[in-house]
Each structure stands twice: as structure tokens, then as C-alpha cells.
Amino acid sequence: MQKLKIRGGKPLVGEVITSGAKNAALPLLAATLLTDEPVVFQNIPDLADVKTMLKLLEQLGCQVERGDHEVRIQASHLTSTQATYDLVKTMRASILVLCPLVARFGHAMVSLPGGCSIGARPVDQHIKGLKALGANIELDHGYVSAKCDRLRGCRIVTDMVTVTGTENLLMAAVLSEGTTIIENAAREPEVVDLANCLISMGANIVGAGTTQITVQGVEKLHGTTYRVMSDRIEAGSFLVAAVATGGDVLVKDCDPNTFGAVIEKLIETGAHIEVGEDWVRAKAQGKPKAVSIRTAPYPAFPTDMQAQFMALNAIASGVSHVTETIFENRFMHVPELQRLGASITIDGHTAVVCGVDQLSGAPLMATDLRASAALVIAALVADGESTVDRIYHLDRGYEKMEEKLRALGGDIVRIKAE
Ligand code: UD1
């Protein structure tokens, strides 16, 4: 196990390049199961979750050739349509192989992911939609087992906005017979990225990025070469780190159109924010002002940026309210921030944060992916030394974060935990 040792107090200054988006890469990799032809992805981030998805595809019999931020996958001779508990338990997004397998091969058995640290996170909507498309589904020994001849298009209304649910059903619909309409669809940019890739494979999809996606099923999809979109959460995290540390950072190779709500909030902190076509620069103007946020599905403020803004608010001037509406247990970073001296009280789904003058370094424990980023940001601000343990959470979704931070002047090293 590894941890990060961080000595805080240095403003981050310089340029950083955004990696490909984890949350786009995972469904895109699963989409390779929809064709027997090779699919090449560029701008693939080098992350633990991506490795897990590639391992899963290899277990199913896909040929995987890895290059530098590039991967070629061919699902022409599958040996299995079963995703076992071993892999699914380490990454919930493994459920994304369910619909492509059923749509192309007529059967799949995928372990139910179960809960995770940030909440229950059921997959009932994925199952409900697949059933509506005509699959016969049984839940047995912790597995979803789905069978069908050919899926038939239909109208699906999800009970809530679900990102991977929309993506899974989209991948089922592209090979279904007839028309599928997904209502209450997630509008996240990663859904649009998946739809664009599927279209480049020959799918017929209209409305991705809106709440209603219409798919005209086709018999077969073909191979493609596709560039994964940039990671809006990584870009946002570096901008927050810049403002929190009193720095000046230019985040390059990002798409500002995909994180408008985050940019708005950064502007509210009083920092000087400049936005270009594929870059954003954040220059702190003294102490940031506290900003209240409320998470909600895209285009509202993303839950994946909530923890990082909490870290920023911890040292901002004023009081802020941070309300989490997507996941019921996503305040686990609060006790850790309190260890650094943050003043935060939780009232139901809202955390009330009173900005303090300074945080002081302490040993910390990462609890989930985005919480780890928040702890790193807080430790970069805090006086003295902090350590962040269990950084395997961070490695799931941030590519070489400590190297990128070091290049910006952050005093941060990876060390072996005892
Ligand atoms: C995705 C993202 C994750 C982000 C989240 C919300 C990926 C790989 N992960 O997760 O980073 O935090 O969107 O933006 O893209 N729900 C159900 N039943 C379902 C599906 C979801 O009750 O069948 C609930 C969840 O418990 C949660 C809410 O709906 O409360 C939204 O979850 P969802 O959008 O599905 O999150 P993920 O796709 O798992």
C-alpha cells in the first residue's frame, strides 16, 4: 500500500494537461463488445479503473493491445459472457458489460456490484430497462443472468437520472430491433461521448445530451477509431487546487463547455477565471470567498466535484452550505477535513462549512475516489505535513496526480505505507 506525503503552504503555479475522462473511457471500453471488428481508442487515461475494465474484457476473451494512451480491442472470439464478482466488486462500472453482451450474444451473467462507500447505488434501473427490451432476467447467487433472442426496441422511462444506467441501455438499444426511446436520460457529456462513438460504429442515435434519446436499432456495428473526451472532473479538481492554494494554474486540453457549473462556482470564489476554447486558467485573488453548492445531475453541479469544493470552502472566507442530492453517504471526507482543523457540521444532506484561517497538517485516510482528491487539496493548503493513506482510491480516477501537482510546485511525494 502506498500513501502521499504532502507539505502544504505552497501556491500551485504553472500549466497542467488534462487526461482522458475515466467516466467516458469505461462505457466506451464496454462498447467494444458490440462489434466483432477492432475498435481503437486514443487518449485513454492510465488509471486503475481502466486496467480493471481491460482485464474484464480480456477475461471475456477480447483481444486487447495496449499502447501509450491508446488501446485496440477486438471482441471477435469471446470465450465467456460472465463478469465475475472478483472484478465487479472492485469496480461498479463493470455492470456496463451487461447490456452490450446481451444485445450482441443474447446472454450474459454479471455479478451484482452491491453497495459502495458512498451509498447503496443499486442497478435496478439497468435491469428494469433491459427487461423492458425483452430480456429474461433472473437474479441468482448475487448474479444478474439475462437471456433473450433479439432485444426489441421500446420506450423506457427511468425512475431517476442514472448515468451508467442510461449508457448501459443505450448500448442495449443500438442492436435492438426497432426503435427505443430512453426518457429521463442522463445528459452528462460522457453519455454524449458514448453516443458519438456508437454513431461512428454505425449506430443510429438522436438526442444524446437531452433527456430523451431515440435509437433506431441496427443489425450490426462496425469498428472505429475514437478519441476519448477530456476529464472534466480532473480539470475542475486542478482549478480548485489552484484557487485553494492561492495559485495560478492553466489547465490545458480540457473542454470548458463540459463543466460550466464548476466554472461558475470558481468565478463566485472571487478568483480570476479565464476560459479559452480548450483551456481554463484560474488565478487566485487572495483568500477565496465561500460558495454554496447543491449537487444534481448534469448540467447542474456534479457530485464528483462536491468534496473538492468542500476542501476549498474549509479555508474560504464566510459560511457555505454544501448539499448532496445524488448519493446518501458522500460526506466521508468531512471527519478527515475536521482532522485538519476544518469547521464543518452535517445536517442531513447538507454540510455547513465555516471557513477557517488555516488548516494544520495531519495524517489522513482516503475513503473514496473524489474524497481523496479533496484531502490532497486540503493537505496542499494546510500548514506543515500531512499524509494521505489508502491512495488506491485516488489511482482509480486520477492519472499521476502527484506528478502533475509536483510539476505545479506542490510538495508531494508517494511513499510506501508500513
Ligand atoms: C456515475 C459516475 C460517478 C458519478 C455518478 C453521478 C461513472 C463510471 N460513474 O455513477 O462518477 O458520481 O454517475 O454523476 O460514470 N440509482 C438507482 N438505481 C439504478 C441506478 C442509479 O437507484 O439503477 C441511483 C444511485 O444510487 C444514485 C443515483 O441513482 O443515487 C445516480 O446514480 P448514477 O447516475 O447511476 O451513478 P453511476 O452511473 O453509478
Side-chain angles (χ1 to χ4, degrees), residues 22-24 26-27 92-93 96 118 120-127 160-165 167 188 190 232 303-304 325-328 330 370:
K22 168 182 89 76
N23 286 355
L26 298 177
R92 296 179 40 80
L96 283 164
I118 61 171
R121 297 180 85 176
V123 290
D124 56 309
Q125 300 303 307
H126 305 230
I127 293 170
M160 79 287 296
V161 178
T162 155
V163 179
T164 48
E167 292 162 348
E188 267 66 3
E190 292 77 12
R232 62 195 169 102
T303 173
D304 285 353
T325 76
I326 308 284
F327 294 114
E328 67 272 21
R330 210 171 197 180
R370 304 303 168 186

Side-chain angles (χ1 to χ4, degrees), residues 91-223:
M91 186 183 71
R92 296 179 40 80
S94 310
I95 193 74
L96 283 164
V97 301
L98 175 67
C99 286
L101 285 173
V102 178
R104 178 151 159 241
F105 301 100
H107 51 86
M109 217 171 131
V110 176
S111 169
L112 283 165
C116 72
S117 54
I118 61 171
R121 297 180 85 176
V123 290
D124 56 309
Q125 300 303 307
H126 305 230
I127 293 170
K128 178 181 119 167
L130 193 52
K131 248 188 200 162
L133 288 163
N136 216 316
I137 299 205
E138 279 174 32
L139 300 181
D140 206 15
H141 299 295
Y143 279 78
V144 190
S145 172
K147 288 198 179 97
C148 66
D149 290 331
R150 187 178 175 197
L151 296 172
R152 284 181 315 277
C154 67
R155 181 166 173 269
I156 301 167
V157 188
T158 56
D159 294 353
M160 79 287 296
V161 178
T162 155
V163 179
T164 48
T166 301
E167 292 162 348
N168 228 344
L169 296 173
L170 184 57
M171 290 190 278
V174 288
L175 288 183
S176 296
E177 192 180 338
T179 308
T180 301
I181 299 175
I182 306 173
E183 305 270 14
N184 200 23
R187 290 178 282 169
E188 267 66 3
E190 292 77 12
V191 174
V192 179
D193 210 38
L194 172 65
N196 286 340
C197 177
L198 292 170
I199 291 168
S200 78
M201 294 166 76
N204 193 335
I205 302 167
V206 176
T210 74
T211 56
Q212 188 189 65
I213 304 179
T214 305
V215 183
Q216 195 66 49
V218 295
E219 290 277 338
K220 234 174 137 26
L221 293 180
H222 52 73

Side-chain angles (χ1 to χ4, degrees), residues 387-398:
T387 49
V388 183
D389 211 335
R390 300 203 179 157
I391 52 161
Y392 53 85
H393 288 294
L394 193 74
D395 294 335
R396 287 188 45 207
Y398 287 91

Side-chain angles (χ1 to χ4, degrees), residues 239-245 265-266 269 288-291 307-317 337 353 355 374 377-378 381:
L239 292 167
V240 170
V243 175
T245 59
K265 286 294 165 186
L266 286 166
T269 67
K289 284 186 229 147
V291 289
Q308 299 88 319
F309 267 78
M310 184 100 81
L312 177 73
N313 280 328
I315 48 88
S317 59
L337 292 173
V353 189
I377 293 169
V381 176

